[in-house]
Every structure is written in C-alpha cells, then in structure tokens.
C-alpha cells in the first residue's frame, strides 16, 4: 500500500499511520505478555515488524506475521555480499542491540515500531541506506532525519513519540508496546485523525489492482489456443549390423515362491 501511495504521489494519511501502528502495538504487547502453562513469560520478541510483515485485509483488519525470526534473521556471520545487500532492508527495522547481537527485549520491538510508524508518516524509511554497512551504522547510532523535517504537518506530539521510540538506549524508548498503543490512540483522538477498519478498507479498494477478466473471457482465450497433441520424435533406428548379440541362457529354479490374493463373494449381484 505504501508503494502504491508513493507511485500515486500521495502522502500516507496521518490516520492510516496511527491506526496501523496502534494495531501492530496491540499485537506486539499480546506477544510480549504470552506465558506458558505455568504463566511464566515466554520472552517472545518479533524483531522484524517491517511493512512486509504487516498484513492488511480487504475488510480493514491489520495482522502481524512472521514472529520469532529475529535470531536467524540477524545472524550474518556466514552471509555473502549478495545476502547482506538484501538484508539491508530488514536490519533497517532492527533495534541497535538486536543487529549487534546483544540481548533484546520488548523495547527492541518498540524501536522497530517507531521505524515503521516513521515510514508510514514520512513515506521513507529512517535508516535505510545504499549498503548493508551504511544501514547498520545508521541503526547502531540512531542516525536519521527528524520526522518533522521530512513531513512538517505531523503533530509535534506524534513526532516526539516516534523520536523517543527510536532512541538507541532501550531505557529511553517510552516503555512497553501497550503504553505506545495508549499514547498513539490518544494522539489519534487529539489530532482528529479518526481512522479505522472502514477507512482502511476504502483506501485499499481505491488502490486495488484492476479486476481480472471474467471467466467467459478466459474461456474464449483458452479455446483459441492450439491444443492439438504434439507427437514426440521417433527414436532413431539402430544401425544395421551383420553380427548378432550372443544369447544368454538363464536357468530358473525348480521351485519358486508366489503369492496370490483370492477374493470370494457370497450372494448374487443386484
């Protein structure tokens, strides 16, 4: 959806960013609080709530997928140059501690949520650079353009929340995903940017792909395709030769084992 808005030259609606971020924050909080049958925390960290893992339904629902891929995603010790180039877009959503292989907690996902919201509001990713090394350095140091310098109509309170979430120090990111959700909801009401499932469904419909041709058209096209069978070429004939291969005599055993299945039916057929 973000790509289509960019292609249309339309800035993402403020309400869209706040609504999607709220829903993602709820999903993250739910995962962070998950426990086992003894109510012990499972320590679930998403690690990559990037736009590709945020799923939008035509009914305006927001779902977050691909949980618990973070440990394997950021282990690049054996990665080739080509793999690193593709991973640049992934680590742009990883927290500094996560991309450096340090212990990560729920605030790591708060950082990634801040990067996601920044992109939904500004239309650009805050840390993504031309190479893996540059992107990694931007994430590690928190280097990015201030949100309001990229999009000036973002309310100052919302920009402050995003900048706080993008702090390098996990202790300065504003707490849990639940707290971020409450703040985002408050800012959405205060700014008047009311946006929900109905508005998202309408926006998706306006940017939907053209409808596929009706089945009748597809049937007509298929009938014009030449479906006559293609016979494979005949195998080449063996070259004539006066010499014949020698015959081999095979002796069979006097007694051989055989199995048979016998079915006996009673009664007469109807």
């Amino acid at each position: 959806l973000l790509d289509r808005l960019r292609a249309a030259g339309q800035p993402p609606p403020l309400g869209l960013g706040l609504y999607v971020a709220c829903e993602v924050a709820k999903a993250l909080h739910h995962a962070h609080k998950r426990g086992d049958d003894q109510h012990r925390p499972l320590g679930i960290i998403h690690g990559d709530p990037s736009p590709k893992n945020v799923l939008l339904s035509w009914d305006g629902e927001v779902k977050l997928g691909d949980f618990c891929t973070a440990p394997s995603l950021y282990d690049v010790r054996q990665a080739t140059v080509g793999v690193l180039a593709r991973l640049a877009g992934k680590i742009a959503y990883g927290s500094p501690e996560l991309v450096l292989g340090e212990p990560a907690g729920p605030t790591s996902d708060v950082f990634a949520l801040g990067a996601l919201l920044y992109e939904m509001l500004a239309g650009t990713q805050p840390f993504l650079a031309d190479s893996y090394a540059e992107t990694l350095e931007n994430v590690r140091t928190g280097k990015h353009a201030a949100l309001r310098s990229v999009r000036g109509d973002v309310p100052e309170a919302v920009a402050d929340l995003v900048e706080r979430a993008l702090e390098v120090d996990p202790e300065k990111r504003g707490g849990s995903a639940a707290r971020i959700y409450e703040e985002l909801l408050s800012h959405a009401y205060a700014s008047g940017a009311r946006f929900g499932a109905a508005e998202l469904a309408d926006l998706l419909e306006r940017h939907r792909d053209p409808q596929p041709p009706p089945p009748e058209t597809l049937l007509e096209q298929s009938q014009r395709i030449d479906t006559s069978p293609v016979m494979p070429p005949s195998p080449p004939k063996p070259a004539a030769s006066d010499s014949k291969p020698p015959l081999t005599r095979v002796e069979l055993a006097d007694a051989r084992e055989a199995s048979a299945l016998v079915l006996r039916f009673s009664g007469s057929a109807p």
Side-chain angles (χ1 to χ4, degrees):
L1 178 59
L2 291 177
D3 289 340
R4 297 187 182 191
L5 289 172
R6 293 188 193 105
Q10 301 175 9
L14 175 63
L16 168 67
L18 296 178
Y19 170 64
V20 172
C22 276
E23 296 300 296
V24 173
K26 282 197 298 185
L28 290 174
H29 175 66
H30 177 75
H32 295 163
K33 292 300 182 182
R34 292 288 292 176
D36 60 15
D37 54 358
Q38 300 297 321
H39 304 289
R40 292 171 298 196
L42 293 174
I44 296 175
I45 304 298
H46 190 289
D48 183 32
S50 57
K52 293 185 181 299
N53 290 331
V54 178
L55 311 178
L56 309 178
S57 78
W58 295 113
D59 294 325
E61 297 174 312
V62 180
K63 303 294 183 182
L64 183 61
D66 280 2
F67 273 84
C68 300
T69 61
S72 58
L73 178 64
Y74 296 107
D75 186 1
V76 297
R77 288 170 293 183
Q78 305 296 326
T80 63
V81 174
V83 170
L84 290 179
R86 292 193 296 272
L87 284 179
K90 287 291 186 182
I91 65 167
Y93 297 92
S95 65
E97 61 272 17
L98 195 56
V99 300
L100 294 176
E102 299 173 356
T107 53
S108 293
D109 284 340
V110 170
F111 182 96
L113 177 61
L116 174 67
L117 180 55
Y118 183 109
E119 182 172 2
M120 287 190 293
L121 296 177
T124 59
Q125 216 285 336
F127 303 111
L128 185 62
D130 294 332
S131 69
Y132 175 89
E134 290 178 89
T135 303
L136 178 61
E137 181 64 14
N138 290 342
V139 172
R140 187 183 67 82
T141 60
K143 179 183 178 182
H144 66 279
L147 176 57
R148 282 172 60 85
S149 70
V150 181
R151 182 173 177 179
D153 65 335
V154 174
E156 187 174 354
V158 174
D160 289 343
L161 183 150
V162 173
E163 298 297 340
R164 189 171 72 245
L166 296 179
E167 284 282 354
V168 173
D169 185 352
E171 299 296 327
K172 298 180 179 179
R173 292 179 190 154
S176 66
R179 180 176 176 182
I180 297 296
Y181 165 77
E182 295 293 343
E183 289 191 49
L184 287 170
L185 196 61
S186 174
H187 295 323
Y189 281 108
S191 64
R194 297 298 300 273
F195 201 98
E199 288 76 15
L200 177 56
D202 180 65
L203 183 64
L204 289 170
E205 187 64 34
R206 295 202 304 268
H207 292 275
R208 193 170 188 167
D209 284 329
Q211 291 295 323
E216 296 78 10
T217 303
L218 296 176
L219 178 61
E220 181 182 349
Q221 293 175 352
S222 66
Q223 291 172 344
R224 294 200 298 266
I225 299 176
D226 184 7
T227 58
S228 57
V230 178
M231 301 302 295
S234 302
K237 295 182 178 180
S241 174
D242 295 335
S243 61
K244 296 182 180 180
L247 297 178
T248 302
R249 183 174 180 174
V250 179
E251 297 288 346
L252 298 178
D254 293 336
R256 288 172 288 171
E257 294 183 356
S259 300
L261 175 64
V262 179
L263 303 177
R264 179 177 294 173
F265 299 94
S266 61
S268 57

